[in-house]
Amino acid sequence: MPSWLGRTVRGSRRSARCRPTTRSTASARLWSRCQAWHVVVDCLGLVLAVLVTAASVQDRDAAVGLLKRLRRQYLSIRLVWADGGYSGSLVDFAREKLQLTLDIVRRTDDTTVFVVLPRRWVVERTLSWLMRSRHLVRDYETLPAMHEAMVLWSMTMLMTGRLAGRRRNAFIPRQPTPSS
């Protein structure tokens, strides 16, 4: 069963929780209190594993722990698609240590317009589904473990709502039909 590894950064520059670091290195543009989600989803867009780190953590470094967690929980997964931020030594690590095929989906450098990358939309759609949860939009949690739990809770609520057949306009009263 193939899966997709993706990342999003939570927090904004105007937020009091996202302050610039005081370091004068090249990473000074990174924000110290912002959080990054590293998410592994299946082909349907359902969350398999999530890891919340500081935004200053490199994608490849965070993906090592996430892929180890993925391998421990789901032994049947063999192929993981990822974007260019996860390339490098992570591909060799996944192949040798975890027996995972990490396929990097790269964008072409000669494009000047927006181009949809293959399979990238699966993780982006999942992130947009999760952003419908108010608790994740507002960043109430400060501990990464609690934030991971809220991501999984929001996905659980989304899946149970779909299984129960909840309608979008379930709370809008229906207009009475005129009787003849």
Side-chain angles (χ1 to χ4, degrees):
M1 173 173 67
S3 57
W4 180 265
L5 175 64
R7 173 185 194 253
T8 185
V9 176
R10 299 293 310 132
S12 65
R13 293 181 183 209
R14 295 178 189 220
S15 173
R17 303 176 70 170
C18 295
R19 296 194 178 99
T21 59
T22 57
R23 291 177 273 160
S24 61
T25 62
S27 65
R29 294 185 309 268
L30 295 177
W31 301 89
S32 61
R33 298 285 307 262
C34 291
Q35 295 175 337
W37 298 358
H38 302 272
V39 180
V40 179
V41 299
D42 64 358
C43 292
L44 297 175
L46 304 177
V47 174
L48 298 176
V50 62
L51 179 67
V52 177
T53 62
S56 59
V57 176
Q58 189 65 245
D59 290 349
R60 289 180 293 273
D61 299 336
V64 169
L66 184 62
L67 290 176
K68 284 181 181 178
R69 184 183 301 177
L70 179 73
R71 173 50 69 204
R72 202 170 42 245
Q73 292 176 347
Y74 303 98
L75 297 175
S76 63
I77 293 180
R78 300 283 179 238
L79 173 65
V80 178
W81 288 304
D83 60 359
Y86 294 100
S87 62
S89 61
L90 182 66
V91 176
D92 297 330
F93 172 79
R95 182 178 50 244
E96 294 168 4
K97 302 287 186 194
L98 303 174
Q99 288 77 40
L100 287 172
T101 303
L102 190 63
D103 189 13
I104 305 297
V105 178
R106 299 187 190 277
R107 66 174 180 85
T108 57
D109 291 331
D110 58 346
T111 59
T112 58
V113 295
F114 176 76
V115 176
V116 178
L117 294 177
R119 306 302 302 173
R120 173 71 180 165
W121 61 271
V122 175
V123 73
E124 293 296 334
R125 180 184 61 183
T126 302
L127 293 173
S128 68
W129 287 344
L130 290 172
M131 285 297 105
R132 292 173 54 196
S133 175
R134 184 178 185 272
H135 220 82
L136 296 178
V137 172
R138 298 290 176 217
D139 278 342
Y140 291 119
E141 287 78 23
T142 55
L143 297 176
M146 290 301 296
H147 205 96
E148 290 173 12
M150 290 309 300
V151 169
L152 294 175
W153 178 257
S154 295
M155 195 66 201
T156 303
M157 294 298 292
L158 179 72
M159 290 187 303
T160 54
R162 289 184 181 170
L163 287 173
R166 185 175 19 176
R167 299 184 316 263
R168 287 187 181 173
N169 55 359
F171 299 108
I172 299 174
R174 293 184 180 180
Q175 298 296 325
T177 57
S179 60
S180 38

